[in-house]
Amino acid sequence: MNAPAIDQTKLDAFVTRAVGDLSSAYGGVLVSLGSKLGLYKAMSGAGPIGAAELATRTGCAERYVREWLNAQAAGDYVGYHTDSDTYELSPEQALVLADEESPLFIPHAWQVPASMWFDEERTLEAFRTGKGVAWGDHDGRLQCGVAAFYRNGYRASLVPEWLPALEGVVEQLEAGTIVADVGCGHGHSTVLMAQAFPRSRFHGFDGHAASIDAARHNAAAAGVAERASFEVARAVDYPDGQYGLICFFDCLHDMGDPVAAARYAARVLAPGGTVMLVEPFAQDRVEHNLSPVSRMYYAASTTICCAHAISEGGELVLGAQAGEARLAEVFRKAGVSHFRRAAETPFNLILEACR
């Protein structure tokens, strides 16, 4: 059989794209280094700065700093001034790279692919055997990276935008109700709600003991430990509190039996209560999810989300690009009649379910 003809233009374009992706992966390592070493922070608001001065400000070796700066300039992550041999971080770049309170701050996210590489042997075995990989069996950078990355997005949107999009929920929270945050991780979402609604009581549940320890520490540091408690529990056996609000933040798709989790939530929900489901943004069909954001979600889903669901038995492995229709079907099977999209962002669907 004759080999297929090669379209040189298509080949060149694809090689360019593949090399660009490889360059981005290399650059991600330097983004993480720059954040941890304080290089971006030292550049923020400083105007043009030379490599030697930046090295002095950060206590780093000048030769390493210069090479790092050149890589940043080559990737357009900082500007380079030829005449003065200086580098500059723009205000826009600072929001993404230096401001740890910004909802756009991205350096922590690079811990996730770092953990994916570290866990490559586990993933290879999972592919070959069909077995799962539990959340807690991954390299610790996964849990820390996910928690830190989502924290700022939740801080920007959860209280001012997402909760008000739910019918009557803010009024209940202001009056005082009981809230379950299922799959709470490090508890950032729980803490944010506890800070905003002091008359309500919040209970975070997660099957990963180390994350629960971190959540308790975060609640204490935020001064809300008296109204935000945390306990190791699965999505089908946390205490029945007859909750006014049950939240699943970016976690239902990770569960081995999401229908059972939704059914249990419906059982422990108080009359008139609401389930808030926050999931990665996705359309319902693969051909509508062919984007850079979806590529990122599919990649994480391959090694993390699907792997954990399979480790829990894999009754229904949704993956991180489940889409609204499949999620609605989960709650329909759980006996929940009301399900709607309350809000959306480029990264998340915010869905409401009620009995």
Side-chain angles (χ1 to χ4, degrees):
M1 186 172 64
N2 294 330
I6 297 296
D7 184 320
Q8 191 63 44
T9 300
K10 290 182 179 179
L11 176 61
D12 291 345
F14 183 69
V15 168
T16 298
R17 176 164 188 168
V19 171
D21 288 344
L22 184 61
S23 173
S24 297
Y26 278 47
V29 177
L30 296 193
V31 169
S32 182
L33 290 172
S35 178
K36 291 178 178 179
L37 292 167
L39 295 167
Y40 292 122
K41 278 192 174 181
M43 295 183 74
S44 182
I49 187 171
E53 182 181 354
L54 182 60
T56 299
R57 289 190 182 188
T58 56
C60 295
E62 187 273 340
R63 187 64 188 87
Y64 284 109
V65 169
R66 178 172 292 279
E67 207 73 357
W68 178 86
L69 281 166
N70 288 338
Q72 300 304 290
D76 201 23
Y77 273 47
V78 306
Y80 177 63
H81 301 287
T82 306
D83 293 344
S84 58
D85 188 29
T86 57
Y87 306 80
E88 186 171 6
L89 191 71
S90 73
E92 295 77 18
Q93 291 165 334
L95 280 174
V96 179
L97 299 170
D99 182 358
E100 293 191 14
E101 301 304 311
S102 166
L104 304 173
F105 184 72
I106 207 169
H108 290 315
W110 281 100
Q111 301 308 305
V112 177
S115 75
M116 292 163 69
W117 275 112
F118 187 88
D119 293 328
E120 184 183 23
E121 287 300 321
R122 288 190 175 95
T123 302
L124 289 169
E125 181 184 5
F127 264 72
R128 290 166 178 153
T129 64
K131 296 179 181 179
V133 182
W135 175 260
D137 290 340
H138 287 281
D139 179 75
R141 284 171 292 188
L142 172 62
Q143 296 90 25
C144 293
V146 167
F149 180 58
Y150 279 119
R151 178 192 63 189
N152 285 13
Y154 291 161
R155 182 186 291 125
S157 301
L158 173 54
V159 173
E161 297 173 8
W162 297 351
L163 289 171
L166 306 176
E167 295 180 4
V169 166
V170 168
E171 290 79 4
Q172 291 185 48
L173 289 167
E174 289 175 340
T177 191
I178 303 173
V179 179
D181 189 351
V182 182
C184 66
H186 286 203
H188 294 304
S189 51
T190 326
V191 167
L192 286 168
M193 291 187 290
Q195 288 174 319
F197 302 103
R199 293 185 178 178
S200 291
R201 292 297 176 266
F202 301 84
H203 304 278
F205 304 106
D206 201 287
H208 186 233
S211 290
I212 289 297
D213 289 341
R216 289 169 177 159
H217 171 80
N218 289 332
V224 295
E226 77 284 354
R227 56 182 183 272
S229 65
F230 298 90
E231 183 177 338
V232 176
R234 300 177 303 158
V236 293
D237 64 8
Y238 52 95
D240 181 351
Q242 289 298 291
Y243 303 99
L245 175 66
I246 298 176
C247 304
F248 294 89
F249 290 102
D250 288 293
C251 66
L252 187 76
H253 66 270
D254 295 321
M255 297 176 183
D257 193 346
V259 175
R263 185 180 294 119
Y264 186 81
R267 183 166 76 80
V268 300
L269 197 64
T274 300
V275 173
M276 178 185 190
L277 179 64
V278 177
E279 282 284 302
F281 183 89
Q283 303 290 352
D284 292 321
R285 296 177 63 86
V286 171
E287 61 266 32
H288 299 149
N289 289 327
L290 305 181
S291 69
V293 172
S294 290
R295 181 191 187 190
M296 177 177 67
Y297 282 146
Y298 277 128
S301 187
T302 302
T303 64
I304 302 166
C305 308
C306 290
H308 181 78
I310 292 169
S311 79
E312 289 191 336
E315 294 292 329
L316 175 61
V317 182
L318 288 171
Q321 291 289 268
E324 184 177 351
R326 294 178 69 199
L327 295 166
E329 180 65 8
V330 165
F331 279 83
R332 187 195 66 76
K333 290 180 177 178
V336 175
S337 59
H338 174 81
F339 189 91
R340 74 177 182 97
R341 183 185 303 198
E344 66 180 70
T345 75
F347 298 99
N348 283 110
L349 293 172
I350 297 85
L351 305 159
E352 174 188 88
C354 306
R355 287 188 297 189

